Amino acid sequence: MNDSVLTPERILAAAEDVLRRYGPGKATVVDVAQALGVSHGSVYRHFASKAALRDAVLRGWLARSMAPLQAIATSRTPPPARLRQWFSALRQTKRDNVLGDPELFATYSALAAEAGEAIAEHKGRMQQQIASILAAGVASGDFRQLDPAAAARALFDATARFHYPGFSHLWDQPGEDAAFSQLLDLLLAGLAPAPAAPRRRKPAR
Amino acid sequence: MNDSVLTPERILAAAEDVLRRYGPGKATVVDVAQALGVSHGSVYRHFASKAALRDAVLRGWLARSMAPLQAIATSRTPPPARLRQWFSALRQTKRDNVLGDPELFATYSALAAEAGEAIAEHKGRMQQQIASILAAGVASGDFRQLDPAAAARALFDATARFHYPGFSHLWDQPGEDAAFSQLLDLLLAGLAPAPAAPRRRKPAR
DNA sequence: TGAATGACAAATTTCAATATCTGTCATTCA
DNA sequence: TGAATGACAGATATTGAAATTTGTCATTCA
């Protein structure tokens, strides 16, 4: 049961395991301490509260889930295709999690619901990745002149329907792929360099 | 207490009142019957179940909330401005409901959560309104050639962040207005007629 | 005769007693 | 001496017995 000294890392690993096995509603810090073969008081020497422990576990998960997206964001793919790839990967990751292991995903969601801070930071990092793709596209002339940060937020918002877990109940319905693809088409069209001049058939009155 | 004959309409009105006063968790069909001065068995002569009654109340609310949007959708405003107006009104309606009377909104949400059918139909009607604006814009040359139904869905999805009640916790944060405006700009840009030809600075390799 | 009633069974909710958990801290241990 | 313990108070969760609610239907009423 016990192994060398008690570190935050070991506690974190045990907490993750307990959370996975018992679910967010049943996992107690006594369980975590038991898994480590120590008293629950010892856990409180390293984490100020149960909430802090859960927060730390969540941050770990978020960091791991973000890595593949980071790779896409910094790839050499032409910006429009890269942007499409990035959003597709974001959507696919969430989808796989929800549909593949719903219990684990429910656990993640329960933690996320309490950790506004961690989630806000995570969203910020996601939007930075999008902004970096946009900046590259503006530089290459693939995208029109725009504020990368503001446009990144708009894109992130616009696709929320396909990556925000609150909508996961829709993700296995027919037509989802097509709808997502349609949306990306529309958004990419909106990012394309502006045409010469808008032509109106009816004169403005 | 009692008044002429018992009709579905009178039951519906009483149910709405009871729901408003007691909330969705406390309102019972006995309460509704009591408000009408009849036995609860009589209510079941007109509605097959409590769920059916709640569903009918929800449909009434949805129909009423939809009316102002319908007016915008069929107005003579040029399609791009009309579309912007329509989405702004949609957002504003939801926002006013949530922020103005949170309890009533919670009631509405509780009913909506159980009535998948009614909600799906409502979403369909909303998208038809959007599609009608798009069709007008295609005809006038304000929008590029596109499938109104598919694009309507994409627009509805893209703006979900600003009208889907699951996001209502974000609606009173600073920067929301700007973010919404940004998103509409991007979407309208995506609907605009296509430019002559895309110019790339880097040649494709 | 057709609408309304109210007694009833089954399902669901409430509520209070009981048990468990979180977080602290004086004490022990190595 | 600094990490670990475990007893403890207050907060939170569980449980199951009692009460309420839903939905039915044989009977009553106008």
Side-chain angles (χ1 to χ4, degrees), chain A residues 138-161:
Chain A
V138 171
S140 69
D142 286 304
F143 297 143
R144 58 175 226 260
Q145 215 61 37
L146 45 75
D147 171 11
R153 181 171 179 189
L155 289 170
F156 193 75
D157 286 346
T159 50
R161 161 74 176 67

Side-chain angles (χ1 to χ4, degrees), chain B residues 123-136:
Chain B
K123 286 203 305 199
R125 281 189 294 268
M126 301 290 254
Q127 287 178 29
Q128 275 171 23
Q129 293 193 8
I130 301 169
S132 77
I133 302 176
L134 291 176

Side-chain angles (χ1 to χ4, degrees), chain B residues 11 33 35 44 51 60 68 75 82 98 120 125 127 129 156 158 192 195:
Chain B
I11 295 174
Y44 282 96
S75 75
R82 197 150 104 215
V98 181
R125 281 189 294 268
Q127 287 178 29
Q129 293 193 8
F156 192 75

Side-chain angles (χ1 to χ4, degrees), chain A residues 90-103:
Chain A
L90 173 61
R91 169 172 178 247
Q92 201 56 47
T93 302
K94 302 282 194 116
R95 251 171 81 96
D96 289 350
N97 286 343
V98 182
L99 304 175
D101 189 342
E103 299 215 7

Side-chain angles (χ1 to χ4, degrees), chain A residues 24-113:
Chain A
K26 288 287 185 188
T28 71
V29 349
V30 172
D31 292 331
V32 174
Q34 202 162 53
L36 290 161
V38 300
S39 80
H40 78 278
S42 302
V43 171
Y44 282 95
R45 178 164 297 280
H46 299 277
F47 290 92
S49 65
K50 187 186 188 181
L53 181 53
R54 292 168 73 121
D55 190 272
V57 170
L58 176 64
R59 283 173 190 276
W61 278 350
L62 291 176
R64 263 172 282 152
S65 76
M66 185 132 89
L69 294 174
Q70 179 69 270
I72 294 174
T74 58
S75 75
R76 297 276 185 82
T77 312
R82 197 150 104 215
L83 197 64
R84 194 176 264 278
Q85 227 175 66
W86 192 91
F87 275 110
S88 297
L90 173 61
R91 169 172 178 247
Q92 201 56 47
T93 302
K94 302 282 194 116
R95 251 171 81 96
D96 289 350
N97 286 343
V98 182
L99 304 175
D101 189 342
E103 299 215 7
L104 184 60
F105 192 78
T107 297
Y108 153 93
S109 297
L111 297 190

Side-chain angles (χ1 to χ4, degrees), chain A residues 104-184:
Chain A
L104 184 60
F105 192 78
T107 297
Y108 153 93
S109 297
L111 297 190
E114 298 160 2
E117 180 79 358
I119 294 300
E121 287 173 20
H122 183 246
K123 287 203 303 199
R125 281 190 294 268
M126 301 289 254
Q127 289 178 28
Q128 274 171 23
Q129 292 193 8
I130 301 169
S132 77
I133 302 175
L134 291 176
V138 171
S140 69
D142 286 304
F143 297 143
R144 58 175 226 260
Q145 215 61 37
L146 45 75
D147 171 11
R153 181 171 179 189
L155 289 170
F156 193 75
D157 286 346
T159 50
R161 161 74 176 67
F162 296 97
H163 65 247
Y164 181 72
F167 287 105
S168 63
H169 61 107
L170 300 172
W171 294 350
D172 56 357
Q173 301 220 335
E176 279 289 292
D177 288 353
F180 182 63
S181 185
Q182 279 275 344
L183 176 56
L184 286 185

Side-chain angles (χ1 to χ4, degrees), chain B residues 28-29 40 44 50:
Chain B
T28 70
V29 350
H40 79 278
Y44 282 96
K50 187 185 188 181

